């Protein structure tokens, strides 16, 4: 039992250190906003020393400090190492401590807790004399600690937003470059081979396909931005779902035929529901297009509509590369590339499924995927409510 407990503590601490590194706060330059808070805390509590500490694997580094000049201490001698193991207020009124040549007899601190419940360090106050610390003082210290964590979380969010913006630019540039480079080449071939109608038709069709790919990429980016801003607006009308699904299948049929894939539609009932025709078409187009894109040649894709008592299920089943457990965990994340690769050199922004989920949920429905594993195909299921 002792061994299991030790291993568990090690695992928790290991995860905490990973979270700490994710925030990238260690050894960063002084922060004026934090320095103002430690100075304010010293005045509010009438103490000589206030510290905002970050507890690393083997040291305690001071992000901000008031009343002491040292930058860090060993984790073995610092009380902040005990604070990160606690969930609330930690006090020490009896033990004599020495910090920066100052003898201290009081210590109170609250852990710097992240939104996913990892303690990065502590907001602590220290005094030369023993003292009491009641609920009112704890509430003030809690407010100051929360301000610090709000700033830390904001800095992380800002950094991640910058990374995501760069990712958007890189993804867009990469995915648009391929179809763009093919258009001038085919246009030149048309000029050279204008007397060959069959070749001209073929080049025109390829230019059209490249243009449609670029339109799809741009549409996905625009839809993603709209969904991220929470501005998805639906125009509800009465729809014949079977007819809608059939139309989307017909639009994707040429793509399937190029890969010698069969695209089968099974509608058990004529289903009428209330929904946004354009947005539901986007959902179906994305799922069917993905099934074609990630399935090998000479395979079958089945789209089925099944009406239940108060809802309808749309199933898109393929014989493609399937989904791993890791794929299922990040299926609807933006700009995520799964283990499966397009089988015909098609492009992918990694946005489609994240958009699909937003649009399905906007209709009061839900989406999930089923797969027995790699190379065992997959089935995406959309559940939509039937309304009067």
């Amino acid at each position: 039992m002792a061994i299991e407990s030790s291993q568990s503590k090690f695992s928790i601490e290991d995860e905490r250190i990973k979270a700490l590194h994710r925030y990238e706060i260690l050894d960063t330059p002084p922060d004026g906003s934090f320095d103002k808070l430690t100075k304010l805390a010293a005045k509010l509590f009438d103490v000589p020393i206030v510290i905002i500490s970050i507890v690393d694997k083997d040291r305690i580094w001071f992000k901000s400090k008031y009343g002491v000049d040292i930058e860090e201490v060993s984790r073995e001698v610092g009380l902040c190492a005990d604070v990160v193991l606690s969930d609330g207020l930690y006090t020490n009124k009896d033990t004599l401590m020495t910090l920066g040549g100052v003898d201290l007899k009081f210590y109170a601190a609250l852990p710097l807790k992240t939104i996913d419940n990892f303690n990065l360090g502590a907001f602590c106050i220290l005094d030369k004399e023993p003292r009491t610390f009641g609920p009112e003082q704890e509430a003030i210290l809690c407010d100051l600690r929360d301000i610090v964590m709000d700033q830390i979380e904001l800095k992380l969010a800002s950094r991640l937003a910058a990374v995501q913006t760069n990712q958007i630019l890189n993804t867009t540039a990469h995915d648009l470059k391929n179809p763009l480079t093919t258009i001038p080449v085919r246009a030149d071939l048309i000029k050279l081979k204008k007397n060959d109608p069959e070749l001209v038709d073929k080049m025109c069709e390829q230019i059209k396909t490249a243009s449609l790919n670029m339109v799809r990429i741009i549409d996905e980016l625009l839809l993603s931005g709209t969904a991220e801003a929470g501005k998805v607006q639906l125009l509800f009308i009465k729809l014949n779902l079977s007819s809608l699904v059939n139309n989307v299948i017909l639009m994707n049929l040429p793509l399937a035929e190029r890969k010698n894939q069969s695209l089968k539609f099974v509608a058990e009932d004529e289903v009428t529901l209330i929904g946004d025709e354009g947005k539901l078409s986007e959902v179906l187009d994305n799922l069917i297009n993905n099934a074609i894109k990630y399935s090998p040649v000479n395979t079958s894709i089945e789209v089925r509509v099944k009406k239940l008592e108060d809802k309808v299920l749309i199933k898109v089943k393929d014989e493609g590369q399937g989904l791993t457990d890791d794929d299922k965990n990040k299926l609807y994340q933006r700009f995520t590339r799964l283990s499966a690769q397009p089988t015909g050199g098609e492009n992918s922004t990694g946005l489609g499924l994240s958009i699909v989920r937003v649009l399905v949920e906007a209709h009061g429905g839900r989406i999930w995927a089923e797969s027995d594993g790699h190379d065992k195909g997959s089935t995406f299921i959309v559940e939509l409510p039937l309304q009067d």
Side-chain angles (χ1 to χ4, degrees):
M1 293 297 292
I3 294 177
E4 293 178 359
S5 176
S6 176
Q7 291 176 338
S8 176
K9 287 181 180 179
F10 176 78
S11 177
I12 293 173
E13 175 62 10
D14 192 45
E15 291 299 316
R16 189 192 72 80
I17 293 296
K18 287 182 181 179
L20 172 59
H21 291 165
R22 186 172 69 248
Y23 280 82
E24 295 185 1
I25 192 173
L26 278 169
D27 300 314
T28 52
D31 189 312
S33 60
F34 289 173
D35 293 341
K36 289 177 181 178
L37 288 173
T38 51
K39 183 177 180 180
L40 175 62
K43 291 182 178 180
L44 289 173
F45 294 107
D46 190 24
V47 294
I49 296 176
V50 179
I51 296 171
I52 297 174
S53 68
I54 304 297
V55 180
D56 198 2
K57 192 172 183 179
D58 55 4
R59 61 173 176 149
I60 300 172
W61 177 73
F62 299 159
K63 172 61 181 173
S64 177
K65 62 217 184 277
Y66 178 87
V68 66
D69 291 330
I70 59 176
E71 300 290 335
E72 62 181 54
V73 296
S74 169
R75 181 164 175 170
E76 295 178 356
V77 300
L79 291 175
C80 296
D82 295 324
V83 180
V84 295
L85 301 177
S86 66
D87 291 325
L89 180 68
Y90 180 93
T91 59
N92 190 312
K93 305 175 184 178
D94 304 318
T95 304
L96 178 66
M97 300 171 285
T98 301
L99 185 65
V102 180
D103 291 335
L104 302 165
K105 296 183 179 179
F106 175 79
Y107 174 94
L110 283 169
L112 302 176
K113 188 178 292 294
T114 67
I115 56 176
D116 48 356
N117 292 319
F118 288 107
N119 292 339
L120 304 182
F123 194 119
C124 44
I125 62 173
L126 303 97
D127 202 352
K128 298 178 182 179
E129 301 296 334
R131 60 187 295 172
T132 58
F133 200 78
E136 184 177 347
Q137 289 84 1
E138 181 180 351
I140 295 172
L141 185 61
C142 184
D143 288 340
L144 293 172
R145 184 275 311 271
D146 290 346
I147 294 173
V148 170
M149 282 311 304
D150 287 344
Q151 289 293 314
I152 291 175
E153 296 289 357
L154 184 62
K155 291 177 188 296
L156 174 63
S158 177
R159 181 165 54 81
L160 293 178
V163 170
Q164 190 175 75
T165 299
N166 288 333
Q167 191 176 26
I168 292 172
L169 293 174
N170 291 334
T171 300
T172 305
H174 177 270
D175 290 342
L176 289 178
K177 181 179 179 181
N178 288 338
L180 275 173
T181 54
T182 64
I183 292 175
V185 173
R186 282 162 176 75
D188 288 338
L189 284 173
I190 290 174
K191 288 181 181 180
L192 293 172
K193 303 291 184 179
K194 61 181 66 176
N195 295 325
D196 186 345
E198 185 176 345
L199 180 61
V200 168
D201 287 346
K202 181 180 179 181
M203 293 297 104
C204 288
E205 186 63 30
Q206 291 175 346
I207 289 175
K208 179 181 177 182
T209 300
S211 300
L212 290 175
N213 283 338
M214 289 189 291
V215 170
R216 178 187 292 275
I217 291 168
I218 293 170
D219 283 344
E220 286 187 354
L221 287 168
L222 292 174
L223 270 171
S224 176
T226 300
E228 185 73 11
K231 296 180 180 179
V232 175
Q233 295 182 347
L234 303 180
L235 178 61
F236 286 103
I237 61 172
K238 191 174 183 179
L239 295 170
N240 183 317
L241 182 62
S242 299
S243 176
L244 179 66
V245 174
N246 189 59
N247 288 338
V248 176
I249 288 176
L250 290 176
M251 286 191 301
N252 282 276
L253 192 57
L255 299 176
E257 289 175 344
R258 288 194 190 107
K259 301 173 78 170
N260 201 29
Q261 297 168 340
S262 66
L263 195 51
K264 182 180 179 182
F265 178 37
V266 179
E268 298 182 0
D269 296 283
E270 287 293 316
V271 181
T272 300
L273 54 72
I274 305 298
D276 185 303
E277 183 176 13
K279 300 298 191 296
L280 288 179
S281 294
E282 176 72 22
V283 168
L284 294 166
D285 183 58
N286 200 294
L287 294 178
I288 294 171
N289 188 270
N290 275 355
I292 295 170
K293 184 185 301 182
Y294 294 102
S295 294
V297 297
N298 302 317
T299 55
S300 298
I301 298 166
E302 181 184 275
V303 183
R304 182 180 294 270
V305 174
K306 181 178 180 62
K307 183 179 179 181
L308 303 178
E309 182 177 353
D310 58 350
K311 58 191 175 184
V312 61
L313 300 180
I314 306 169
K315 299 184 178 182
V316 180
K317 182 179 180 180
D318 63 54
E319 299 174 350
Q321 300 167 60
L323 300 169
T324 65
D325 289 339
D326 184 56
D327 289 336
K328 293 176 183 178
N329 290 333
K330 57 184 182 181
L331 204 54
Y332 306 104
Q333 296 177 12
R334 301 171 75 234
F335 300 104
T336 295
R337 304 295 174 92
L338 304 179
S339 62
Q341 298 296 320
T343 57
E346 300 95 336
N347 294 318
S348 173
T349 61
L351 286 170
L353 288 177
S354 66
I355 295 171
V356 165
R357 184 173 69 171
V358 170
L359 296 182
V360 169
E361 291 178 350
H363 280 82
R366 65 190 184 103
I367 180 172
W368 68 96
E370 297 176 351
S371 176
D372 291 331
H374 187 61
D375 287 334
K376 295 185 178 180
S378 59
T379 302
F380 281 83
I381 304 167
V382 173
E383 178 186 285
L384 296 171
L386 292 177
Q387 304 171 358
D388 294 332

